[in-house]
Amino acid sequence: MARRLTLTGNDAAAEAMRQIDPDVVTCFPITPQTELMHKFAEFVADGDVKAEMVLVESEHSAMSAAVGAASAGARVMTATSANGLALMWEIVYIAASNRLPIVMPVVNRALSGPINIHCDHSDTMGCRDTGWIQLYSENAQEVYDNVLQGILIAENPEVLLPVMVTFDGFIISHTVEVLDALDDKDARDWVGDYKSTYSLLNTDEPATFGPLDLQDYYFEHKRQQIEGMNNATGVIKSVGEAYGKLSGRAYGMTENYMTDDADYVVVALGSTCGTAKVVVDEMRAEGKRVGLLKIRSFRPFPHAEILAGLASAKAVGVLDRSVSFGAPGGPVHKEILAALSGTGDATVVNYLYGLGGRDISLDHIRTVFEELETLAGKTIPADEVRFIGLRG
Amino acid sequence: MSQAIERARTYLKPLKKLPTVWCGGCGLGVVLSSLTRVMAEMGLDKNKTATISGIGCTGRLPTYIDTNTLHTTHGRALGFATGVKLANPELTVITAMGDGDSVAIGGNHFIHACRRNIDITAIIVNNCIYGMTGGQYSPTTPHGKRGTTAPYGNVEYEFDIVSLAAGAGATFVARTTVYHVRELDKLLERAIRHRGFSVVEVVSNCYTSYGRLNKFSGPVDMFKWMKESAVTVKQAGEMSPEELEGKFIRGIHVEKDQPEFIDVYDKLAQDLTKGPSTVNQKLRATIEGYEQLGDKLKAGIG
């Protein structure tokens, strides 16, 4: 039986965490993530969960404590945003390299400076090479669903990698939405119990995590990590299908929304996809062949789904909500170009939008589709970036 | 009186920044007015003063002050301030931090700045809570007191910032409250004039996040608590441990002369570059290079 709830994105993540009831949760407050851990602290205080919650003195310590607890064999979660994620950086790599299946909601927020607390993707895009799986969420429903799926993806023995479930700061984190949640028994059965392969607490079979690993074996260990990430593609899909059977909401690597016969496709991540779907519906009603390719899993990157989603496109508008300074276009644009390399002659146009929480409207996205129509067939230099909603 | 207020006001940025972001009844306004008053009374040159902060409610304080200002990342005000002071030792460098900023995420910077005895004034506004993010307990939330993440009372024990600073080697350590405004003025001036690392802990009130959770009836009630709980160093010396239960001690706790970091560094450089050896010539050339860089920086700031 599904339960229909009215929650903010932060509360939706906390609700999933309540049902998962991890062994250990580490936390440190940072806007706009704070309310998530706040809610979870209430669950702890009210005895709704058995989780051991540790409030530490910085995010670096939050991730360090998470790594310690996960090495001991615990199911561990934490959450953060922006500068908090940046401060964790060193240990973010270690969590992935030590193959610890930590699941971390990251509430997207612009990185300083100047200081800004609103949404863009500079924090998690900066983390794209850390070895973490990254699932982007469109709304509170997906936040909830992705957190529950993240546990199974991370802990899969063929993967054993940490997962970031990202969602847009304030736009999703502080907005109240209606969503369907599993009932507690179904959710508990879904995540099951976690039994780690190796545990520091198992003194009968001592294990060592993260020792000095130089020219002798480091390279082989990285190769194993690459394979774990490659394996994640299949696991994300199979977990998404199984979750669909349980909840009625199936998930894949991407959501290809009306792309099958689309001439013009917008590629986006996060809450902007909800806005883009409205524009696609409106323009479809006007007889325009437009579509949206929503990237759910940015790591691993969904090459096959991208190719399928863009197969009929004459022009593609890639929407980036973060900058890769000095690079040809934003992070998503570069990857789309790489995926399409040698496959045809779709015109790919890069749009930079929404930095520091700058709003993106239906009109903006409509303008992108209209511009794509005029640009189809033309060659756009890879480093040419168009700005949405920028003054001057 | 009004002239003093007018003078202090010239140390505030143009009024479009006002009113402040702080909640009604917050003690931070008292700290801001005290600091600008002291700056005015001392006649600090705005262009030769840098006010530096990290993140949090107190982190907003330099936003309103019309000196050079630097708003940095959570916990790192002292790291940035050390860089500013080293690059331009002529600047009067003042940092404003909250309890979370200074002794939680920035705790390591804090103890090492104390140890180093560099000429920086650290104002720590201690409201016993993470105010801006909604009242999570901090390292100075007293044991047993409530925070939103400690709804049944804090199980941890709090830092005593004065003892921490003294133990770490700060050469001027004082404490007062936002209720004791005249003492705050006096201590801030003493701290800024002190040659070395100086710490002023200002016990403040966060009614919104701390007071409401801990049975205070309002901001005024919290000021009453400060009035009744803070005893002077002299009074404390005459009180028994039982009488001191639940009290805290205001006034100057540490004030000592100890060579300041940049002074020691300069003297070392001078001593090392005496004499005609090649090594010394190279050192001299390096130091001259830094001095030229310093002149350029000063020109840029002026």
Side-chain angles (χ1 to χ4, degrees):
Chain A
M1 270 294 286
R3 297 172 303 136
R4 183 147 289 190
L5 305 175
T6 315
L7 298 175
T8 64
N10 273 338
D11 285 352
E15 172 66 8
M17 286 174 67
R18 179 187 69 77
Q19 294 181 315
I20 293 162
D21 195 357
D23 300 310
V24 175
V25 171
T26 67
C27 70
F28 187 79
I30 183 165
T31 306
Q33 171 277 123
T34 307
E35 285 75 9
L36 192 168
M37 283 302 182
H38 235 151
K39 189 74 191 169
F40 193 77
E42 285 175 20
F43 293 141
V44 175
D46 292 345
D48 293 336
V49 289
K50 297 194 204 81
E52 195 69 43
M53 190 174 189
V54 196
L55 178 57
V56 292
E57 73 287 349
S58 77
E59 287 88 354
H60 192 276
S61 305
M63 186 48 73
S64 298
V67 163
S71 305
R75 178 179 273 164
V76 187
M77 297 185 75
T78 182
T80 193
S81 291
N83 294 48
L85 183 59
L87 187 57
M88 284 180 179
W89 205 265
E90 179 187 18
I91 318 299
V92 166
Y93 270 86
I94 290 169
S97 303
N98 285 4
R99 311 298 295 275
L100 300 170
I102 298 161
V103 176
M104 173 166 67
V106 179
V107 188
N108 286 112
R109 161 184 155 179
L111 274 172
S112 299
I115 293 167
N116 182 302
I117 56 170
H118 291 280
C119 171
D120 70 32
H121 295 158
S122 52
D123 50 3
T124 50
M125 279 299 162
C127 265
R128 62 195 188 272
D129 292 339
T130 55
W132 283 60
I133 291 164
Q134 291 190 335
L135 303 178
Y136 284 75
S137 317
E138 181 187 319
N139 49 39
Q141 179 73 65
E142 292 195 4
V143 172
Y144 172 83
D145 293 339
N146 282 338
V147 170
L148 279 175
Q149 291 172 72
I151 297 286
L152 264 67
I153 296 164
E155 292 172 1
N156 186 297
E158 299 300 313
V159 177
L160 278 183
L161 286 171
V163 173
M164 283 178 203
V165 173
T166 86
F167 53 104
D168 291 349
F170 291 104
I171 301 166
I172 299 177
S173 67
H174 285 60
T175 311
V176 175
E177 292 181 61
V178 175
L179 63 126
D180 288 331
L182 303 179
D183 67 28
D184 286 358
K185 184 177 181 310
D186 283 349
R188 283 301 308 163
D189 290 347
W190 165 260
V191 293
D193 289 325
Y194 172 57
K195 189 160 183 350
S196 67
T197 316
Y198 304 103
S199 163
L200 286 177
L201 295 182
N202 182 359
T203 49
D204 293 334
E205 291 179 53
T208 302
F209 287 81
L212 195 66
D213 193 19
L214 304 177
Q215 297 94 329
D216 47 1
Y217 279 111
Y218 181 88
F219 204 172
E220 283 73 19
H221 287 137
K222 286 293 139 184
R223 167 72 188 274
Q224 291 181 340
Q225 210 181 323
I226 292 167
E227 284 177 3
M229 184 59 88
N230 290 342
N231 294 341
T233 301
V235 172
I236 291 169
K237 288 186 209 171
S238 60
V239 168
E241 279 170 31
Y243 190 77
K245 285 181 187 142
L246 176 66
S247 67
R249 296 180 300 278
Y251 285 83
M253 297 289 282
T254 62
E255 182 183 349
N256 295 0
Y257 188 76
M258 304 212 184
T259 56
D260 283 353
D261 64 342
D263 294 331
Y264 309 104
V265 178
V266 158
V267 180
L269 295 76
S271 64
T272 305
C273 296
T275 315
K277 282 177 184 171
V278 175
V279 180
V280 169
D281 290 347
E282 285 175 1
M283 294 183 74
R284 281 275 170 179
E286 296 159 16
K288 308 266 189 192
R289 295 206 299 193
V290 295
L292 164 74
L293 198 157
K294 175 174 98 183
I295 296 179
R296 174 185 179 232
S297 170
F298 189 73
R299 285 289 180 270
F301 193 75
H303 288 274
E305 289 77 5
I306 297 282
L307 291 180
L310 302 181
S312 68
K314 293 177 186 160
V316 180
V318 182
L319 271 52
D320 267 294
R321 199 163 196 157
S322 65
V323 190
S324 181
F325 292 100
V332 187
H333 174 247
K334 277 186 295 184
E335 307 254 346
I336 295 289
L337 281 186
L340 290 178
S341 169
T343 61
D345 50 9
T347 300
V348 181
V349 190
N350 192 198
Y351 293 90
L352 183 61
Y353 79 101
L355 298 191
R358 180 65 54 84
D359 197 20
I360 182 159
S361 66
L362 298 172
D363 286 345
H364 285 135
I365 294 172
R366 178 177 279 271
T367 306
V368 168
F369 277 122
E370 286 167 359
E371 196 167 74
L372 289 178
E373 228 174 309
T374 66
L375 293 172
K378 292 185 181 155
T379 304
I380 308 283
D383 59 354
E384 185 176 312
V385 180
R386 283 147 204 265
F387 298 95
I388 302 176
L390 181 73
R391 282 195 298 264
Chain B
M1 182 64 186
S2 65
Q3 280 181 340
I5 291 173
E6 282 308 312
R7 276 203 303 277
R9 195 167 280 172
T10 62
Y11 282 81
L12 289 175
K13 277 189 187 145
L15 291 176
K16 65 179 178 182
K17 284 282 180 192
L18 297 174
T20 67
V21 294
W22 301 316
C23 306
C26 173
L28 272 162
V30 175
V31 180
L32 176 63
S33 65
S34 175
L35 182 58
T36 48
R37 218 164 28 239
V38 167
M39 284 174 160
E41 289 305 314
M42 291 176 72
L44 288 185
D45 183 343
K46 290 182 191 178
N47 290 326
K48 288 194 174 165
T49 304
T51 315
I52 298 166
S53 72
I55 296 294
C57 294
T58 307
R60 291 294 191 94
L61 195 133
T63 309
Y64 309 110
I65 295 183
D66 192 22
T67 63
N68 298 293
T69 58
L70 187 58
H71 191 181
T72 71
T73 56
H74 199 18
R76 317 297 156 193
L78 286 170
F80 285 93
T82 301
V84 168
K85 185 71 184 175
L86 288 175
N88 193 348
E90 283 186 15
L91 292 180
T92 299
V93 179
I94 300 165
T95 63
M97 303 174 284
D99 42 300
D101 210 20
S102 61
V103 295
I105 196 166
N108 213 27
H109 297 292
F110 178 63
I111 55 174
H112 289 280
C114 291
R115 178 181 65 79
R116 194 173 291 124
N117 195 34
I118 188 164
D119 187 21
I120 293 172
T121 301
I123 302 169
I124 299 181
V125 183
N126 179 7
N127 58 11
C128 306
I129 205 88
Y130 287 97
M132 184 162 276
T133 50
Q136 296 77 19
Y137 71 86
S138 86
T140 61
T141 305
H143 177 70
K145 294 295 180 186
R146 294 177 187 214
T148 48
T149 44
Y152 301 116
N154 183 11
V155 295
E156 298 178 16
Y157 290 87
E158 70 276 16
F159 267 136
D160 176 339
I161 292 175
V162 163
S163 303
L164 182 67
T171 50
F172 181 93
V173 183
R175 178 195 282 134
T176 187
T177 81
V178 289
Y179 173 79
H180 300 89
V181 180
R182 290 188 183 283
E183 184 176 63
L184 176 58
D185 284 13
K186 192 184 78 179
L187 292 176
L188 287 181
E189 181 172 347
R190 286 277 280 273
I192 294 168
R193 290 193 190 282
H194 177 78
R195 182 90 186 148
F197 191 72
S198 49
V199 179
V200 180
E201 179 191 355
V202 188
V203 176
S204 185
N205 61 322
C206 174
Y207 176 68
T208 303
S209 288
Y210 182 80
R212 287 191 300 177
L213 292 171
N214 287 290
K215 297 189 173 151
F216 286 100
S217 63
V220 174
D221 195 26
M222 299 188 79
F223 276 81
K224 277 185 191 157
W225 162 73
M226 288 180 223
K227 180 187 175 187
E228 288 158 11
S229 305
V231 296
T232 63
V233 174
K234 187 160 174 272
Q235 286 167 334
E238 294 159 0
M239 290 166 77
S240 66
E242 291 74 29
E243 287 170 325
L244 278 170
E245 193 69 34
K247 308 281 187 198
F248 57 88
I249 304 170
R250 65 187 169 90
I252 296 171
H253 291 251
V254 176
E255 188 172 27
K256 59 183 177 185
D257 281 333
Q258 185 176 305
E260 191 270 339
F261 175 81
I262 292 170
D263 293 343
V264 176
Y265 190 90
D266 282 349
K267 184 171 183 308
L268 182 66
Q270 278 169 16
D271 290 350
L272 285 174
T273 51
K274 278 178 192 157
S277 79
T278 322
V279 174
N280 288 347
Q281 282 167 8
K282 281 186 182 167
L283 267 173
R284 264 198 297 274
T286 309
I287 289 168
E288 277 165 18
Y290 281 126
E291 281 170 357
Q292 283 166 12
L293 177 65
D295 289 342
K296 278 185 205 161
L297 287 171
K298 274 179 249 171
I301 288 171

